[in-house]
Amino acid sequence: DRSRPNGDSDLMNYIRSALLIALKLTDCLIRSKSIAKDDSHSIDIIPLEAIKTANVIITMAKGDSANEGQTITGFALDQKCNTTTVDCQKYDLEPKHPGQKILSVDFSTPACAYPSLGSASSCLMALGGIMYELFSKGDRFELKSILKKTRSVKDIRLSCDGHSDDGSISTGQRSKKSTPCPGDDRFAHLIMRLGNIGIPHPVINLVENLLNSSLGEFSGDDVYRSLDDVRVDLQLMIDDPSRYLDSSIIEVNQTLSISDEMYGREEEIARLRDAYNRFCDGVCNGALILGEGGVGKSTFAMNSKKFTIAANGYFVSGKFDRDATRPFMVIGDVFNSMCDLFAADIQSIEQERKMAEALTKSLGRDAFLIANIVPNLSNLMPLYTSCESSSFDAASRTRYLLLTLLDTLSKLSKSITILLDDLQWIDPASLTFCRALFQSTKSNKNVFLVLCSRESEVQTQDKSEVHDWLQSLSGSTLETIHLTNLNPEDVNNLVSDSLRTWPRLTRSLSAILHGKSLGNPFFLRQTMEMLCRGGYLHYSLGERKWKWDLDEISDLRLDDNVVSLLTREMTKLPDELLVGLKAASCIGYCIPQTVVDILSKHLEMDLFGVLTSLVQRSYLAGVGSALYRFTHDRIYQAAYELMSEKQRREDHMKFGLAICSYVLDNCENNYDMMFVGVNQINRGGPEVLADSCRRVMISQLNLNAGKRALLLTDFSSALSFFGHGIMFLNPGHWDAHYQLSLDLFTSAAESACATSDAALVKSYSETILAHSRSLDDRLPALCFAVKSLKESMNLPSCRDCAIEVLTQLGEDVSSVLEIPSQETIQITNNLLMSKMTDDSMIKMSPCTQMRAVFVMRLYHELNYVYYVFDQTRLLAISLRMVSLTFEIGLTDTSSLAFANYGVELIARGYLIGSRLGTVALKLAENSKYISYVIAAVKQYNLWVIEPLHAIAESHLVGFYSGKRVGDEFSSSLNFCLHLSTSFHCGKNLIQIKNSLSEYIVQLLENSQQWFLPQSAMLYWLIVELIEGPNFDLTEHNPLILNENGVMLFAASARHLELDIFIDGCKLMRSFLFRRDMTSCDGVLDRVVNATCQLRPTMIIAVFFEGLISFVMARQTAENNEWAIKGEIALAYMKRWESSKWNFKNKINLLEAEKMHFLGNFDLASQFYLQAVESSEKHKFLHELAICLELQGLFFQVRNLREKALTSLNRSVRCYKDWGANAVAERVEQYIQHHLRGC
């Protein structure tokens, strides 16, 4: 008796080899059937009588020369033909040498004039006989002896009865109960034999179902109907033995274990993998994963973790919660996890020192400002306990610092993948950060960003901002992947794997489940678990397989949505579990362990044990030792809907009071727990609580929570806390609790102002005005109201409100706004020159009068309003602010006073203004206004004494300074000025164009319209200089505002500075292309006669108008008019000849053009030479090209051909180096037409 090989491992090795032969045998028969359909007389057809063990032929590969002739797998190989007829009595099929492989398996076909193909059932049973002999290791399958034992001829059918035309067995109509198989006991001794020798049950089932296929319509549901089905099952056992083969050990209590594998996502996973690979190559920033609830977005997104770990990168993730308990909770958790990963990877003191140095260099003392959000940052660098500089916008500053932290960490070592899930629940503060995070990944190639969101949830009105942002990401550098429900085949694969049953047997069940769940994976899993709990799916220990009744399941009425299904199933839980589930849902999606301890005492139950039981039932999951969370937000939703609205609110209030009492008694500084408790109370609402003393306490708690949220720069959450605090105040609270009421309303007005909610600012401010007891009490609210009106661009109302408040503060505003006389200006200037040194101004005592501080701030708001409406008032306002500073001392806005007054003095020719600009920069070094001061002083003041190249770099410093203090407006202004100044310095056009393109896209995304026209106009000018004036701009970049749009915006804005900039661009374009020079709107009169703030671009616009004027004076009969304009331009330029670096070359060129027009060629030649030398020395490449071109034309007029060629050719090279290829081409064509042929 050769019943069992030595050991289970030997048996399994034998079985795996036998499965390979069985698969190849099946393939042979399938191929034979296919051939028979086309050619019934082919010699390749295998007749029924040939399907026997003795006719099986196996072709084996030879081993190496050392093993030739040895017995391999029990068969001696024929050295000539490398084949042998298998003697299936040997059955030692496991290769003894790893180099031996089965190449093919076939049947030897006996000669037969009319071969009988047999029915499908005959072939299947014959194959079953071979399979039996193969797996039983030698027992012969004797069909005749079995037939003798058959009680009735009907018990076994070898005819075609019960078969369809294509040879497969017809399944017939489904009955409510499976038809019993009358021949089941016929092969019982054979099946028992296989079981006795340890053959796995799936293999035994395969052999049994093949043998029983002969019963036709009397066969059971499990029997095979076609060879294709046999092949599929064999392949599954070979490919996935752990699921379909190795199931010999059956637990006594077999429970449903639904596979957590991803089904039907092969293409999407490949796209995500490709996106990550492209990220590694620097051409992709991440992925956006969209889909309906329950389609498996979270599970799918975790594939990014596999790719990241495989690439040796860091992976962090966060999941937003519809009822987040802590401001900035998810973002903070993500960055804390990131810091932990980096800290854990530090291997040496030197590595730790380098990391701390890098972070200190990038964050500096400002790191303390994000310590409340990212406390784990202290593991990587020292955190200072204070920060000297203040924030212009705390939220913007926090975003900048967090992104700087991310940028620094990502550049230190590995790449970082950030997964942010369930964006449909994102809070406003986190949404703003995520926008900035996405923008940063465009330049930070070390961060792979994965965003997941449910599509239907963000299409509601209150989530429109999230929806619009996600829509804008489609087509961006993120790979957008839409996940849909599973198709019937994928559902069948999931059901088959979960039940460890052949896919062919679960197909009918899967079709029903797909219809009920619509293929939604989460709904499908919940449906299967419900069917299992209800006994509709059950495991048969006797038959060792899952069983079900299709008709019962088909007739079962299920809820239309998964939440209703879950809710109905939850009601069947034991009472204690139901109470625990409801309590958990009240707390939120995540339940901290501390809250569990508190509620256990409050509910007088073992809530920990209850939640553990719920974990076992897959309603909850444990996250470490300190947190529980719901396994899916639909489960959370269903649990929450178990309660009525009244019960929810009462429980929220009870739980919130219990948590807050614990915090007040034990850990007042545990802000996370405070947020949980206060949120619970607020969800209960004031209607639930009648106790007036407790209501006051809750108002105070909301005030504390709101102030803490302000520290975390989550103004939306802070506004919510303050609003709830106001709601809990008792009637008559302004009399009974005046200070608490004032604090709540003032803080609410501040938060509303920070969130740009002008209506709420107005409402809270009016309430304060109606109930405040003094002007000092209402001043903060009044300032918030003025600021809110300004930021909402309601400038007339802002002006009126500011003037009204200033009047209340004792300011004679009408007198202040009168344009000061020259005498008044001179008196102030003399004071500055004679009595005040720079150092004495910088070291003035700080102001201690709060009213005076508010006066200065209000005048600053007025300065902005009049900058837009009436710049003639700016001198008066800035003069008053400087005078006040001398009277009361330094305030936070004194740097603005000196900066603005210096700008106004420069515009009027008082060079002392540059001194004030320098003082302003010193005062603003640690001020939140540093970015604004840099923009004002550098662009409108210090260009008089500093090179434009240095000015351009200073604006880049101003850009980053604005980011650091949260001044987005001034930061963006500085970058705009950096680009325009760089352009006028002759920097490379391609680089400026690319930077402008990215900048304009950011302006559009951030709705910063103010800088858009200037940037768009400059962009199109550069494109034309590169591509030519006839280039189709509409197709180049349709997102960027075209020239017509720029003009319309400028017309509506009616801003002199913008008008001059636009017309200056047109003048430059007209001159460089020598076209439309007579039709351009001049800027000369507006600049020369205006008293507006003066920028270098205005003076440069005058320079180009002067060039055009002298060129036209030489070319037209009306040369006197053009010459006069040229003279005026030259005279104006000479006003700034003290700024030799910036304007000496321009003045020399205009002088040369003037002398050229007048015919004074000797002086003209000298001035051309000086202009060329000055342009080259001062690195104005584009103006060097212009000087050389005009010098070449001058030489041509004087018939100095070689000199003309030299200058013009050199001009072409300079234009090309600048990037103005189209201008260079124009000059080349001129040379070709006018000088080459001479």
Side-chain angles (χ1 to χ4, degrees):
D1 179 18
R2 295 165 291 159
S3 61
R4 185 186 293 271
N6 295 325
D8 290 339
S9 61
D10 289 342
L11 175 63
M12 292 309 298
N13 288 334
Y14 170 82
I15 290 170
R16 291 189 180 98
S17 295
L19 285 171
L20 290 172
I21 292 180
L23 179 66
K24 293 181 181 294
L25 283 171
T26 306
D27 284 338
C28 288
L29 295 176
I30 292 173
R31 188 167 56 250
S32 172
K33 292 287 185 184
S34 177
I35 294 172
K37 289 182 179 180
D38 300 328
D39 184 2
S40 60
H41 298 287
S42 172
I43 61 173
D44 294 322
I45 295 175
I46 303 172
L48 177 61
E49 52 268 26
I51 306 176
K52 298 177 181 178
T53 301
N55 295 328
V56 176
I57 299 176
I58 296 180
T59 303
M60 300 290 294
K62 289 185 179 180
D64 54 36
S65 58
N67 290 322
E68 286 189 10
Q70 292 185 6
T71 301
I72 307 300
T73 72
F75 309 109
L77 294 180
D78 186 322
Q79 299 300 315
K80 295 180 180 179
C81 64
N82 197 29
T83 64
T84 182
T85 300
V86 178
D87 180 358
C88 279
Q89 309 309 308
K90 295 185 177 179
Y91 292 106
D92 188 9
L93 301 178
E94 174 62 17
K96 289 185 171 61
H97 186 276
Q100 304 301 319
K101 293 181 180 178
I102 302 170
L103 292 184
S104 66
V105 178
D106 208 339
F107 288 89
S108 62
T109 306
C112 184
Y114 300 100
S116 171
L117 298 178
S119 64
S121 61
S122 304
C123 291
L124 289 168
M125 192 183 76
L127 180 60
I130 297 176
M131 297 281 190
Y132 172 77
E133 295 189 14
L134 188 60
F135 290 107
S136 66
K137 294 183 65 64
D139 259 11
R140 286 195 175 275
F141 177 74
E142 298 289 351
L143 181 59
K144 291 182 179 180
S145 63
I146 295 173
L147 290 174
K148 289 179 180 179
K149 299 177 182 178
T150 303
R151 294 187 298 273
S152 168
V153 146
K154 294 181 180 179
D155 291 344
I156 185 163
R157 293 172 178 260
L158 299 180
S159 65
C160 294
D161 294 343
H163 294 76
S164 60
D165 294 337
D166 62 357
S168 63
I169 302 175
S170 173
T171 56
Q173 297 295 319
R174 179 184 62 186
S175 61
K176 289 199 172 184
K177 299 294 181 183
S178 298
T179 304
C181 177
D184 282 349
D185 60 346
R186 186 172 303 101
F187 306 110
H189 65 290
L190 303 180
I191 301 309
M192 187 178 297
R193 164 69 178 165
L194 293 176
N196 289 339
I197 65 175
I199 300 300
H201 196 70
V203 178
I204 296 175
N205 274 339
L206 181 138
V207 174
E208 182 179 19
N209 290 327
L210 279 171
L211 296 176
N212 285 335
S213 62
S214 62
L215 298 174
E217 63 187 56
F218 296 98
S219 61
D221 293 335
D222 292 358
V223 300
Y224 289 102
R225 310 294 178 180
S226 70
L227 289 166
D228 290 324
D229 286 343
V230 179
R231 193 198 186 287
V232 169
D233 289 358
L234 287 168
Q235 192 70 59
L236 286 171
M237 283 192 280
I238 293 170
D239 291 344
D240 194 359
S242 63
R243 187 170 296 277
Y244 291 103
L245 180 61
D246 304 339
S247 58
S248 57
I249 300 176
I250 304 297
E251 297 179 5
V252 175
N253 296 317
Q254 184 73 17
T255 58
L256 179 66
S257 176
I258 300 179
S259 173
D260 56 2
E261 185 180 334
M262 296 291 293
Y263 294 88
R265 306 298 188 208
E266 294 78 13
E267 180 182 346
E268 289 83 357
I269 291 174
R271 288 179 58 195
L272 183 60
R273 182 185 294 107
D274 178 66
Y276 190 83
N277 291 337
R278 287 187 286 118
F279 157 72
C280 295
D281 295 334
V283 293
C284 182
N285 298 119
L288 172 63
I289 302 168
L290 301 172
E292 296 305 321
V295 296
K297 298 181 297 296
S298 301
T299 303
F300 174 82
M302 288 305 290
N303 282 283
S304 61
K305 181 178 183 179
K306 300 176 184 177
F307 306 147
T308 303
I309 293 174
N312 194 33
Y314 290 116
F315 178 86
V316 291
S317 65
K319 191 179 183 71
F320 291 98
D321 176 4
R322 72 166 76 197
D323 298 312
T325 57
R326 187 176 80 243
F328 244 113
M329 179 175 69
V330 175
I331 302 302
D333 290 346
V334 166
F335 276 87
N336 278 312
S337 299
M338 195 183 306
C339 290
D340 290 342
L341 289 174
F342 274 85
D345 259 7
I346 295 176
Q347 302 296 324
S348 65
I349 296 177
E350 178 64 16
Q351 187 181 358
E352 182 179 12
R353 182 187 64 79
K354 288 183 177 179
M355 179 170 291
E357 285 181 354
L359 290 171
T360 302
K361 181 179 179 181
S362 61
L363 297 173
R365 300 179 68 87
D366 290 346
F368 177 76
L369 296 171
I370 56 174
N372 291 319
I373 300 173
V374 195
N376 294 2
L377 179 58
S378 61
N379 297 330
L380 301 178
M381 66 173 292
L383 296 179
Y384 299 96
T385 56
S386 64
C387 184
E388 296 178 2
S389 60
S390 56
S391 299
F392 188 93
D393 181 336
S396 296
R397 189 178 196 182
T398 298
R399 289 194 296 273
Y400 171 77
L401 292 172
L402 287 174
L403 294 176
T404 301
L405 170 61
L406 174 62
D407 182 68
T408 305
L409 290 177
S410 67
K411 291 177 180 177
L412 286 174
S413 56
K414 307 173 184 178
S415 62
I416 302 173
T417 294
I418 300 176
L419 166 60
L420 297 176
D421 197 4
D422 278 347
L423 283 170
Q424 70 271 10
W425 310 129
I426 193 171
D427 57 278
S430 298
L431 174 61
T432 305
F433 174 78
C434 286
R435 287 178 181 273
L437 174 62
F438 168 69
Q439 290 295 336
S440 73
T441 59
K442 294 180 179 179
S443 56
N444 189 343
K445 300 301 182 182
N446 295 318
V447 176
F448 187 72
L449 182 63
V450 182
L451 305 175
C452 294
S453 178
R454 189 178 299 165
E455 288 181 292
S456 59
E457 300 286 351
V458 298
Q459 292 174 359
T460 57
Q461 186 174 359
D462 60 329
K463 293 292 182 180
S464 59
E465 189 176 357
V466 182
H467 176 262
D468 292 343
W469 178 55
L470 293 177
Q471 286 289 102
S472 71
L473 296 182
S474 297
S476 67
T477 52
L478 296 184
E479 176 73 18
T480 303
I481 300 174
H482 288 267
L483 297 184
T484 58
N485 288 339
L486 303 181
N487 61 37
E489 188 62 30
D490 295 327
V491 169
N492 188 45
N493 289 333
L494 185 150
V495 174
S496 170
D497 285 357
S498 300
L499 301 181
R500 294 201 173 194
T501 305
W502 308 116
R504 63 186 177 83
L505 302 179
T506 58
R507 192 161 282 116
S508 298
L509 172 63
S510 299
I512 296 173
L513 294 177
H514 181 271
K516 292 183 179 296
S517 66
L518 301 179
N520 183 279
F522 179 71
F523 199 170
L524 174 64
R525 287 179 166 88
Q526 295 303 316
T527 301
M528 291 181 66
E529 289 180 357
M530 183 275 292
L531 292 175
C532 187
R533 287 192 293 269
Y536 300 100
L537 278 174
H538 64 279
Y539 189 79
S540 170
L541 287 174
E543 299 182 49
R544 293 189 174 186
K545 63 181 181 181
W546 284 90
K547 303 196 73 176
W548 56 87
D549 189 297
L550 287 177
D551 290 321
E552 285 187 357
I553 294 175
S554 178
D555 295 339
L556 189 64
R557 293 181 61 84
L558 296 180
D559 297 275
D560 294 334
N561 64 80
V562 70
V563 174
S564 300
L565 173 68
L566 286 166
T567 302
R568 186 157 54 84
E569 287 300 303
M570 289 173 179
T571 58
K572 301 175 184 178
L573 290 171
D575 291 343
E576 190 176 49
L577 295 189
L578 196 58
V579 171
L581 189 62
K582 292 177 180 178
S585 70
C586 276
I587 299 303
Y589 186 77
C590 296
I591 308 98
Q593 179 63 55
T594 307
V595 173
V596 176
D597 295 336
I598 296 171
L599 296 189
S600 291
K601 297 176 183 177
H602 179 77
L603 295 172
E604 298 181 347
M605 63 183 296
D606 179 15
L607 189 57
F608 174 78
V610 169
L611 297 186
T612 301
S613 298
L614 292 171
V615 169
Q616 294 170 353
R617 293 172 182 258
S618 300
Y619 289 120
L620 299 176
V623 183
S625 59
L627 190 70
Y628 291 95
R629 65 170 176 81
F630 282 88
T631 53
H632 197 278
D633 69 340
R634 293 299 194 196
I635 295 177
Y636 165 55
Q637 180 184 351
Y640 195 62
E641 291 183 3
L642 287 169
M643 300 172 285
S644 65
E645 177 67 21
K646 182 175 181 294
Q647 182 186 354
R648 291 178 204 159
R649 298 181 67 175
E650 290 175 350
D651 284 354
H652 281 309
M653 182 60 69
K654 288 188 296 184
F655 297 161
L657 290 172
I659 295 169
C660 286
S661 297
Y662 174 85
V663 172
L664 293 174
D665 293 341
N666 299 281
C667 49
E668 285 192 49
N669 293 328
N670 189 335
Y671 297 108
D672 288 349
M673 290 302 300
M674 177 186 70
F675 284 131
V676 173
V678 174
N679 270 306
Q680 286 293 304
I681 290 173
N682 291 342
R683 292 179 72 182
E687 298 84 359
V688 180
L689 190 65
D691 189 326
S692 60
C693 293
R694 282 192 169 185
R695 290 170 70 99
V696 173
M697 178 196 73
I698 291 170
S699 292
Q700 184 65 54
L701 285 173
N702 270 291
L703 179 63
N704 297 342
K707 289 182 176 179
R708 182 66 183 177
L710 288 179
L711 286 177
L712 298 173
T713 68
D714 187 346
F715 293 101
S716 296
S717 295
L719 180 59
S720 176
F721 284 123
F722 296 136
H724 278 96
I726 290 170
M727 291 168 60
F728 275 98
L729 288 170
N730 294 306
H733 58 87
W734 280 105
D735 294 325
H737 303 284
Y738 175 79
Q739 193 58 49
L740 176 60
S741 302
L742 181 64
D743 290 345
L744 279 169
F745 276 89
T746 303
S747 298
E750 178 186 9
S751 301
C753 183
T755 57
S756 302
D757 193 331
L760 275 181
V761 174
K762 180 181 179 182
S763 173
Y764 290 132
S765 299
E766 288 176 347
T767 304
I768 293 172
L769 290 177
H771 296 90
S772 58
R773 297 173 180 175
S774 69
L775 177 60
D776 291 335
D777 285 349
R778 56 179 172 267
L779 265 179
L782 289 171
C783 286
F784 293 141
V786 172
K787 183 178 179 181
S788 176
L789 290 169
K790 183 194 75 172
E791 293 183 351
S792 62
M793 294 306 291
N794 187 353
L795 299 185
S797 297
C798 175
R799 177 195 58 204
D800 297 342
C801 185
I803 290 174
E804 180 182 349
V805 178
L806 283 168
T807 301
Q808 292 182 38
L809 289 168
E811 286 290 300
D812 186 0
V813 182
S814 58
S815 298
V816 169
L817 292 178
E818 291 180 1
I819 299 175
S821 64
Q822 292 291 334
E823 181 182 359
T824 303
I825 297 172
Q826 194 61 51
I827 291 173
T828 305
N829 292 350
N830 291 337
L831 172 66
L832 292 172
M833 293 292 293
S834 60
K835 296 185 178 180
M836 300 290 290
T837 65
D838 292 359
D839 193 54
S840 63
M841 284 188 277
I842 293 170
K843 292 183 178 179
M844 281 191 295
S845 300
C847 175
T848 58
Q849 306 171 35
M850 274 311 298
R851 288 195 178 188
V853 172
F854 280 115
V855 168
M856 289 284 285
R857 291 176 181 173
L858 289 166
Y859 271 126
H860 172 58
E861 303 294 357
L862 266 185
N863 188 82
Y864 176 85
V865 174
Y866 280 108
Y867 175 79
V868 177
F869 279 146
D870 183 6
Q871 293 192 19
T872 61
R873 307 291 179 182
L874 298 182
L875 174 62
I877 294 173
S878 59
L879 178 59
R880 176 57 181 157
M881 291 181 73
V882 168
S883 301
L884 274 172
T885 298
F886 290 148
E887 293 173 15
I888 63 176
L890 294 174
T891 70
D892 56 348
T893 53
S894 291
S895 60
L896 304 175
F898 286 112
N900 293 334
Y901 188 56
V903 167
E904 294 302 318
L905 291 179
I906 288 294
R908 288 158 180 80
Y910 296 103
L911 296 184
I912 189 179
S914 61
R915 179 184 165 200
L916 293 180
T918 304
V919 171
L921 286 172
K922 286 288 186 181
L923 289 173
E925 281 182 353
N926 293 316
S927 164
K928 63 184 178 180
Y929 297 111
I930 177 62
S931 183
Y932 173 89
V933 172
I934 289 175
V937 170
K938 292 294 182 177
Q939 186 67 199
Y940 298 90
N941 188 325
L942 293 186
W943 56 266
V944 177
I945 59 175
E946 290 185 9
L948 284 181
H949 303 75
I951 299 292
E953 293 306 309
S954 296
H955 285 309
L956 199 57
V957 173
F959 166 72
Y960 289 112
S961 297
K963 291 287 187 183
R964 184 174 289 277
V965 299
D967 187 354
E968 292 286 354
F969 181 88
S970 298
S971 176
S972 186
L973 170 61
N974 268 291
F975 197 74
C976 180
L977 296 175
H978 164 71
L979 293 174
S980 61
T981 308
S982 296
F983 171 77
H984 287 300
C985 289
K987 298 294 185 181
N988 184 266
L989 293 180
I990 301 295
Q991 295 177 3
I992 298 175
K993 180 179 79 72
N994 293 338
S995 296
L996 268 172
S997 179
E998 294 178 3
Y999 174 64
I1000 290 171
V1001 170
Q1002 291 182 22
L1003 290 178
L1004 292 170
E1005 291 176 347
N1006 298 328
S1007 300
Q1008 293 178 326
Q1009 301 292 326
W1010 184 250
F1011 309 116
L1012 188 58
Q1014 176 174 322
S1015 302
M1017 190 69 196
L1018 182 58
Y1019 179 85
W1020 291 127
L1021 172 60
I1022 292 174
V1023 170
E1024 288 190 84
L1025 293 175
I1026 296 171
E1027 305 292 348
N1030 298 320
F1031 185 72
D1032 188 353
L1033 300 179
T1034 58
E1035 295 183 1
H1036 177 74
N1037 196 332
L1039 292 177
I1040 297 179
L1041 198 67
N1042 60 28
E1043 187 169 323
N1044 290 333
V1046 171
M1047 298 304 297
L1048 287 173
F1049 186 97
S1052 63
R1054 293 182 297 178
H1055 195 268
L1056 180 61
E1057 183 181 330
L1058 177 59
D1059 291 340
I1060 293 174
F1061 180 86
I1062 293 171
D1063 289 336
C1065 288
K1066 292 180 180 180
L1067 287 167
M1068 185 177 187
R1069 179 178 60 192
S1070 295
F1071 175 77
L1072 290 174
F1073 287 111
R1074 301 296 194 273
R1075 66 170 192 173
D1076 303 327
M1077 291 194 292
T1078 60
S1079 61
C1080 281
D1081 293 330
V1083 300
L1084 196 55
D1085 292 339
R1086 285 175 286 172
V1087 175
V1088 172
N1089 299 319
T1091 56
C1092 64
Q1093 296 178 345
L1094 197 61
R1095 291 176 55 187
T1097 53
M1098 297 178 177
I1099 302 173
I1100 294 170
V1102 171
F1103 164 64
F1104 276 102
E1105 186 166 2
L1107 289 178
I1108 289 175
S1109 298
F1110 284 123
V1111 169
M1112 294 304 299
R1114 292 199 305 269
Q1115 294 178 359
T1116 65
E1118 303 169 354
N1119 50 26
N1120 287 336
E1121 182 180 342
W1122 285 110
I1124 292 172
K1125 290 181 67 175
E1127 290 277 9
I1128 296 173
L1130 176 58
Y1132 180 78
M1133 293 292 297
K1134 285 184 175 181
R1135 290 174 56 181
W1136 311 107
E1137 62 184 350
S1138 60
S1139 180
K1140 293 184 178 180
W1141 186 284
N1142 296 328
F1143 301 116
K1144 184 63 176 177
N1145 66 323
K1146 301 172 183 63
I1147 295 171
N1148 285 336
L1149 186 57
L1150 286 176
E1151 289 277 20
E1153 286 290 281
K1154 174 185 175 182
M1155 293 300 107
H1156 186 182
F1157 165 70
L1158 295 175
N1160 192 339
F1161 294 145
D1162 290 339
L1163 277 178
S1165 181
Q1166 293 177 25
F1167 281 123
Y1168 278 127
L1169 180 59
Q1170 291 174 14
V1172 168
E1173 290 176 346
S1174 180
S1175 297
E1176 188 170 21
K1177 178 181 179 181
H1178 297 154
K1179 301 180 181 178
F1180 290 102
L1181 178 62
H1182 62 313
E1183 292 171 355
L1184 173 60
I1186 293 171
C1187 292
L1188 288 167
E1189 181 186 357
L1190 293 176
Q1191 183 188 48
L1193 296 176
F1194 168 73
F1195 286 142
Q1196 183 194 8
V1197 170
R1198 298 194 62 195
N1199 294 320
L1200 300 173
R1201 180 176 177 278
E1202 292 303 322
K1203 286 188 175 182
L1205 275 173
T1206 300
S1207 294
L1208 290 173
N1209 284 327
R1210 189 179 170 199
S1211 171
V1212 169
R1213 290 195 297 273
C1214 289
Y1215 278 130
K1216 288 183 177 180
D1217 290 344
W1218 182 35
N1221 296 329
V1223 182
E1225 183 180 351
R1226 176 188 61 77
V1227 178
E1228 285 178 323
Q1229 290 176 356
Y1230 182 88
I1231 295 171
Q1232 186 67 33
H1233 293 156
H1234 296 87
L1235 292 173
R1236 295 296 185 193
C1238 296

